[in-house]
Structure formats: structure tokens, C-alpha cells
Amino acid sequence: MPLFSPFRRAAPGERVVQAGAWLAVAVAVLLSLWPFCFLVATSFGDVTDWWAGRTWPDFRFLANRTQRYGYYLAVKYEYWTWYNWFGAYYVTPLAGNQTLRELPDQPEPAGQWRRLAEDGLACVAGPMPASHVAVTFTGWSYWSGDPITAYGGLSDLAWKRHLHRRFGSIAAVNRAFGTSFTSFTHVKSPGTPGVTGRGAWPRADPWVAAYLDFAQADLEPAWRIPLQMDYLFTGFLKELPEVGKDLAKLNAAFGVSCSRWEDLHLSEVMPPEPGPARMWIRFVREIASPLLLEVTVDEALHAQYVQFLVARHGSAAAVSARYGVPPEAVPLAASGQKLDSAAAWEDWDAWIRTVPPARLRLRTAAAIWRDFLHDRYGTAAAAADAHGRSYASLAAVPWPAPEIDRLDWERHRWRYTAELLFKNYRRAWDWMTESTHGLANSARFAVLFAVMSLLVNLPAGFVASRLRRTGVQVSLVGFLVLAAVPLEAVAVPNFLFLRSLGLLNSVWALVLPTLLNGYHIYLMKGVFDRIPASAFEEAQIAGAGELRMFWHVGLPFARAMTGVLALQSFLWAYANFLWALIACQRRDEWPLPILLYHLYQSGAPGYAVAAALVISLLPALLVLALFQRT
């Protein structure tokens, strides 16, 4: 029977009433769906939506190629341009409140830009060492305590997957490196070590050595960004009193006419002018890493190195004990890249400070790029012809970061689009399955509770229906009264009782206190009461006992209600929060609702929490889909 009669049979007044009723139903449906739709939409947001004060995430990038490419650059470099390498290779200015997602449309690269990009990729995959490459970690609060707040971008994801493939488990990673990560989600990169400053030998730390090997061999070439030493050099000059942040003083000191700080290039060798030479020497000896320095080795220089070692360690015997060979047999490395031990690193670093500056050379990423082009093309004219550009010299060929980014985007556009769209869900899933056991705990508790609830309440309802005795009926009334008592009212007695049994912080602490449900027993009694008496009489004539009648007569008749009770029990257990918070004090035993609450309280971004909430809804939706016919 329809709720409303068809419009063609209704009077005008009744049609108005029906239209108003349907409108009210539509409004109620929309109001009920609104929170869920808002939750799903929020789960696709990121920090730029928060930065711009948007309530709903900006999905326009899906239909706008310019915005989608800008979003890709934001994930590769950094959302903001004031703390990354983006400004070293791009000259696109952004306002202080803009991010790379709002990057203006980048023009199509000129000439044979794909050939130029291929050359750049071949350079970083070949002669460019990992020590000369910046691996950017992008996003929001990378060093946050909670991993779900830390989106490290594509390079960070590649590092974690590399460790997962190599070791298989986080326990194996911790054993190999002496770390204490709780999951692959918590793994953080040591960063590119030793590029600036005088530190310990990078490979002395196995964790750093493994990361260098990863950056050299397993990281995609398009994600390796050569270090812009000009950028570091100008930053060093800005701290000097004779230059400061005054561009005019810079031009006067170096005898140049730069209109921007980016126009000044770091010389590979000591400049001939006294002022620039003094600043260059100070930068090389105080700032630049030994990994960037080279010397031209000859017999005279090697003899000086041997004398230095003997003087440094006190005697030739001490040098022999340190290296296992006589002092004159200790090799002199031409570059810090060639050092293969912590002892050699310490001695070479101390000795390189004493070498005459005229013998030193900075082996920068720009120099490696220039030599790569020389080996491949020979002359600037040949390189210009291959790239469809015009070069005054090979040293004037800029690093093709925009071309590499464009080529990488064209090759993997849909892969990157999926990462941009679903990165919050990937992080939330990793957090649920690796960082915590909340999803597994909730699923285990909900399934066990649903099964145990049916095993207890179905037979109890059958017994209450079959036995018409006063004691049984009084017990049923008592069960109904207990069902009306809120769980919070008996939480303390239940807690003390379970503690006396030693069941706290276990799944049984969640299952046992609410296993017997008077409301479910009452419902099942009503279902079994509707079974015709003749069905039980026929079973008794066939010789069936009460247990067989329950199994073969009662359960088939009560199949629909059994499904309803199983569904209710599963959903209640899956969403259990308060009692789980009381009965489980160990984080390893917390179900998903408690972990989601603590995730929110930890200050995780709303979009990350929303993604975790949407994933947490999926098991319940799956169970509902499976039980919809029942």
C-alpha cells in the first residue's frame, strides 16, 4: 500500500499536502547526508585549503591542467616557495600568501626541451653523486610527532617503500640500524648529509649510508634535485659584514653588476681578485663540505700529506697502526667522494684546510653538469644545436629543472594525479594498519562479539519461548530491566569485577560485560512464539529433542531476526567507545574509535582525520551491504 495516493487520483488540496510531504522527506534526506558528504569532501583536502580558509577543498585542479601541474610541483618541491629549491630553478614570483598550487601557467619550454630533460635525467642518474642532490620532503609538519600529520611527498614515500622491499618488516629495519620506529609510517629520512658544514663521515652511520645508496640507485632521477651552491654561497655572503644583504655592496665587492642575488655564481676555483678570493676561501674552509672539494694530486702534494699525517698522529708507527700500511703507502684521495673510512675522512678533512687555496677546486653540481655536457657534445655549439637553444658556453647551460619536471609530469600524469587525490587515504590506511592495530582490534572485537551474542541470546530467547514457567518469565523481565540500565551506570562494578579476573586490556573485557542482552532475548522470544505449535509437535513425533528443534525448527524460522541481531551486535561493538576507553588502557588493545579520538586530539589536520573516518566507515558499510537482503 503506497504511503501517498497517486497524484492523478488526488484532489488539489491533497496534492499540495503530498508535495509538501515529499519536500519534507527530500529535505530530511539531504540533511542526513550532509555530514557524510562534508566528511568525504574534506578527506580530499590538503594544507593549501586550510591556508586559503576554504571550507570545501578546491577540486578545480582535476579539470584544470595548469592547476594540476602546479599541484604536482607543490608535492615535489614544497607548498611554499620560501623554504625550498623551487626558487633556485624557477623565476616565477608568488605573493607571500600564495602556494605552488596557485602557480601561474608555466609556458611550454622552448626548443628541443625533451632532449634537454633527458640529458638532465641521465646526468643525475650517472655522474651526479647522491651527496650533490637534494631530496625534497614536502608538505605539512614533516617532523611532527604523529606520522599522519606528516606528508613527506613523493621522495619520502619512495624511501619508505624502498625499506619495505629490502627488509620486509619494521622490526628488521630496527635490528639492522638500531632504530626504534614503530612502523614504516614513522620512518623519517636523515636528509642529504654532509653537503654543507664539516660533519662526520656520512657512511659512518649505517642509516645514512643506506639512505645515500637509496638516493643514488633507487630514487627516481626526476626526484633528485641538484644542490644549487650559488644559493648557499649568496646566503653565506649575506651574513658577512662587508656584504650583508645589500646588493650594491655585493656588486662592489665582486666587481659585477648583478640585478638579483641569483645572478652571482660561485666560482669553482679561487677568484684572482683579493676581496672575492678572501670570501671564497672562507666559504670553502668553513662552510663547504669535504664531499665538494677536490685537489690535483702529485708527488709533492702526497709527500706533504704524509708529513701532515705523521705530525697529526705523533709518529709513523701511529699512522701505520691507524691505516695498516706505512705512512708513505697511505693514498691521498683527490676528492672527498673517494674516502672509504671514517679515519680517512677525519684526516683528509683536517688536511684540506691547510692546502694552499690555489690547489683547491669546488666540485659542484653545476660543474658535474657542465662536464657531462662536454663529454656528450664536446662544444657549446653542439649542445645548443641538440637542445634547440643558444649557449655562450657549456658553463652557461642552466640545470633543466623546468624541463625535467614537465617531462616527468607528461610521463606519469595519472599516477601523480592519483597521488594528489588520494594521498590522505594512503596515509590514513598506513596509520591504521602499520602505526596502530585499531582496525584489526575493532574487527576482531566486533566479529567475536556478534558471534558470541548470537550463541548466548538466541538459545536464551528459545528457552524463554518454550518454557512457560513463572521463574523464566520473571528472569526475562529482569533482563529487560538490565537492558534499560545504561552501561555507564554499571561501568565501575564491571571494571572492578574484570580486574579481579585479570581480564582488563583484553578483548574479553570488551565482550563479556554486554554479552547478555535482555532486549535481544525478548525479541527472539517473540519470534519463536510465532512458530506454530504443530511444527514442534511434528518434530517431537520424529524424535527430536529441544536442541534439534532449536536448530532445525527455530533457527530457520528466525533467520531474518538473527541477521538483524547479528548486524546490531556487530555495529554496536565496532562503534564502541566509552566502555573500551574504560576497559582497555594499553594502546595496542585500543579499538578504532579510541584511536580516532586520540588522532583528533593530537592536532592532526582535519583532512587527515576525515580520511581516517571515511576508511573506518567502510567495514560497517560492507557488513550492511552483505546483510541488506536478510
Side-chain angles (χ1 to χ4, degrees), residues 91-103:
V91 292
T92 303
L94 292 177
N97 60 346
Q98 285 184 303
T99 67
L100 288 183
R101 284 194 63 177
E102 288 77 38
L103 187 71

Side-chain angles (χ1 to χ4, degrees), residues 462-474:
F462 185 79
V463 170
S465 174
R466 294 286 293 163
L467 297 179
R468 305 289 181 172
R469 299 174 183 174
T470 304
V472 174
Q473 303 304 316
V474 171

Side-chain angles (χ1 to χ4, degrees), residues 21 35-36 71 81 83-84 104 127-128 153 200 226 274 300 309 322 352 416 513 567 604:
F36 179 74
Y71 200 175
T81 58
Y83 188 65
N84 55 65
M128 189 80 69
L309 291 177
R322 184 176 178 86
I352 202 70
Y416 292 146
L567 181 62

Side-chain angles (χ1 to χ4, degrees), residues 44 65 87 109 158 179 217 225 248 306 314 364 426 512 529 543 547 565 626:
F44 291 101
R65 191 174 72 171
T179 53
I225 305 172
V306 172
T364 62
R426 177 181 55 76
L512 294 179
D529 285 344
L547 183 60
L565 296 189
L626 294 176

